[in-house]
Amino acid sequence: MLSKHKILIGITGGIALYKACEVIRLLKKEGAQVKAVLSTGAEEFARPLLFSALTGEKTYTNSDFFSAGSMPHIELANWAEAILILPATASFLSKLRCGQASELLLALLLATRAPVYLFPSMNTVMLEHPATQENLKVLRSYGYLIYEPAEGELACGEIGKGRLPEPLEILEVIKAHFKPKDFFGKKVLITGGPTREYIDEVRFITNASSGKTAYLLVKEAYFRGAEVFLLWGHKEFPYELPKLNYFSDIPYPKIITTLTTQEMFDQARAIFPEVDIGIFAGAPCDFKPKSSHTGKLKKREPLTLELELTPDIAKGLSKIKDKQITIGFALEEREKLLTYALSKKAEKDFNLLIANPLETAGADTSDYLILGPVFQEEFKNLSKEKLATLVFDLIGRLS
Ligand SMILES: Cc1cc2nc3c(=O)[nH]c(=O)nc-3n(C[C@H](O)[C@H](O)[C@H](O)COP(=O)(O)O)c2cc1C
């Protein structure tokens, strides 16, 4: 995902710098080139060798600032495509706010044209101090991208705001950074997860869909700047999405839980006329008990359930389809994949239909058959994350 991107990590003297090690490891795994620069405070906590071993590159310290015959602050400032300061200490933020260039990391930040993300991390009282808050406000006005610290247990033992976010969340911020914002201004409706059809107040029929594809589609749309509405069949949304509130115009996805197929349909009908793109990646139950019992059924004798059809969401919406581009999914037996995919695409008036074989349900990678208006293409062993990118690339070509 981050293949060959040049990312510079500036590490300052906060206790959370141990998390920078994991961030570097994750970035390297994604194919990025990473260089680390330590502030003078960070040098008190860790030796450069640790970061050199993780990056596979020389780690810079302040002793490199005045080395003869080179200007590392300019070279590094020009090398980086993006710079992350993690953790960013209170002391470092105050020096940066004043435009100090008294050490290598500060000087290179003053000299760079690359976007700079600051991840403040400190004790809650230090964070809430008017001086720190004022520094953050001024730094934001200078164009620094400031990521809100997380809440939770802090290294000092207190509980409050000031934690460095977890490495996986930081990785998502970088992934979002390198995505084109080509869906900015577009509204996207996505359905995801299985619905439930209740037999009584505690028992229900459902299916094994995890909703992971829908989550990855939501993430892709959000990272590419779209306003996203997710109709989510599960009770809770178990995934974390970073808050891109430093891009003030990209709204955080609206996640609406809809337990039954009828609820999902009603919500979809209300939102669909407002959107540009509808993606039906949910797994709504196709059948529901004809009658649902109040309370809990007693276990006395065998129970026969009579099932009836639930509304077909995509088909129902195809009747009110106007300007929208619609994308459907089909999980079918491998031998019948093409036949079913063709008929489903036509029946539901989809612009794109993504079909995958039954035996890959729940797996992280799958073979996919994608049918477009004038093309039909097979993809072997594609990860769900790559599929999400491909879907939006294809939508981009349609619109
Ligand atoms: C054990 C220890 C942990 C520290 N953790 C933090 C921290 O999490 N955040 C912070 O802003 N300062 C923290 N400090 C204070 C900084 O290390 C100190 O202000 C230092 O001068 C910062 O150097 P820098 O400006 O190069 O970042 C800590 C200090 C110690 C001794």
Side-chain angles (χ1 to χ4, degrees):
M1 296 291 285
L2 298 172
S3 188
K4 302 278 181 294
H5 283 303
K6 295 174 182 157
I7 300 167
L8 190 143
I9 312 269
I11 296 154
T12 72
I15 191 72
L17 62 63
Y18 71 93
K19 286 190 185 169
C21 300
E22 183 63 9
V23 173
I24 293 171
R25 216 182 57 83
L26 292 169
L27 290 172
K28 292 289 290 179
K29 247 174 104 177
E30 294 282 342
Q33 281 185 63
V34 185
K35 288 187 183 184
V37 181
L38 304 187
S39 74
T40 45
E43 286 182 59
E44 298 292 328
F45 286 78
R47 291 170 70 97
L49 181 63
L50 172 62
F51 302 99
S52 300
L54 292 166
T55 58
E57 303 267 355
K58 172 184 166 63
T59 294
Y60 293 81
T61 64
N62 200 39
S63 60
D64 296 301
F65 196 12
F66 299 106
S67 51
S70 70
M71 282 198 258
H73 63 298
I74 304 295
E75 284 154 23
L76 290 166
N78 291 338
W79 175 85
E81 280 175 73
I83 299 180
L84 317 178
I85 305 298
L86 65 104
T89 58
S91 143
F92 193 81
L93 293 172
S94 102
K95 289 179 269 187
L96 187 61
R97 178 244 164 112
C98 298
Q100 280 198 39
S102 51
E103 61 173 282
L104 177 61
L105 186 54
L106 285 165
L108 84 84
L109 288 179
L110 216 54
T112 193
R113 289 187 183 86
V116 179
Y117 286 80
L118 303 175
F119 290 85
S121 165
M122 63 202 72
N123 163 280
T124 311
V125 185
M126 289 171 83
L127 179 68
E128 286 172 353
H129 193 285
T132 310
Q133 287 302 314
E134 182 65 19
N135 290 337
L136 288 169
K137 197 169 137 200
V138 173
L139 288 164
R140 200 171 281 119
S141 77
Y142 291 166
Y144 288 103
L145 303 162
I146 297 167
Y147 198 80
E148 280 288 297
E151 283 190 39
E153 197 179 331
L154 306 170
C156 56
E158 289 177 25
I159 294 183
K161 196 168 175 179
R163 262 173 79 89
L164 188 69
E166 294 310 310
L168 277 173
E169 188 175 335
I170 297 174
L171 177 71
E172 294 295 352
V173 175
I174 315 307
K175 284 187 181 175
H177 175 83
F178 285 106
K179 290 277 177 193
K181 300 293 172 268
D182 50 350
F183 283 82
F184 183 72
K186 298 278 184 211
K187 292 185 181 180
V188 184
L189 168 68
I190 299 174
T191 65
T195 57
R196 293 175 176 188
E197 299 302 338
Y198 284 85
I199 299 166
D200 62 17
E201 284 180 25
V202 288
R203 301 181 179 96
F204 52 84
I205 304 170
T206 188
N207 60 65
S209 165
S210 67
K212 191 164 179 200
T213 302
Y215 152 67
L216 291 167
L217 288 162
V218 167
K219 196 169 75 163
E220 182 75 18
Y222 172 46
F223 284 6
R224 288 168 80 153
E227 180 174 356
V228 185
F229 301 86
L230 169 66
L231 299 182
W232 186 245
H234 288 281
K235 253 193 152 151
E236 272 141 34
F237 186 69
Y239 302 105
E240 292 285 337
L241 286 166
K243 295 205 168 50
L244 309 182
N245 45 6
Y246 41 85
F247 291 126
S248 55
D249 297 330
I250 302 179
Y252 194 74
K254 290 182 190 65
I255 298 160
I256 304 153
T257 47
T258 54
L259 281 187
T260 65
T261 301
Q262 184 67 50
E263 271 176 48
M264 194 179 263
F265 184 46
D266 292 342
Q267 289 284 352
R269 233 182 343 202
I271 298 168
F272 188 67
E274 308 297 322
V275 302
D276 305 283
I277 298 156
I279 306 182
F280 302 100
C285 287
D286 295 329
F287 306 98
K288 67 170 188 172
K290 209 160 183 181
S291 57
S292 166
H293 292 257
T294 352
K296 186 183 169 213
L297 274 168
K298 284 277 160 272
K299 184 184 161 188
R300 286 199 193 100
E301 52 193 50
L303 177 71
T304 306
L305 285 178
E306 195 179 342
L307 301 178
E308 62 182 11
L309 284 174
T310 56
D312 185 322
I313 299 174
K315 199 168 166 186
L317 296 186
S318 72
K319 296 199 179 89
I320 55 166
K321 180 169 161 171
D322 173 21
K323 55 175 183 172
Q324 295 87 351
I325 291 176
T326 54
I327 294 96
F329 282 77
L331 182 69
E332 305 288 356
E333 288 164 37
R334 195 180 280 273
E335 305 75 52
K336 298 175 188 151
L337 204 58
L338 180 60
T339 324
Y340 279 132
L342 282 168
S343 77
K344 193 166 183 180
K345 181 173 178 294
E347 186 195 359
K348 302 189 183 182
D349 192 17
F350 289 135
N351 300 84
L352 281 178
L353 190 283
I354 294 133
N356 59 322
L358 214 52
E359 69 269 18
T360 59
D364 269 343
T365 60
S366 177
D367 298 340
Y368 291 97
L369 171 68
I370 301 190
L371 307 182
V374 287
F375 65 85
Q376 178 180 315
E377 220 172 318
E378 271 186 66
F379 297 86
K380 292 270 173 221
N381 209 21
L382 199 64
S383 72
K384 287 183 174 171
E385 192 164 20
K386 285 201 175 125
L387 174 77
T389 304
L390 179 66
V391 167
F392 279 90
D393 289 349
L394 291 172
I395 298 172
R397 276 192 249 154
L398 293 177
S399 41

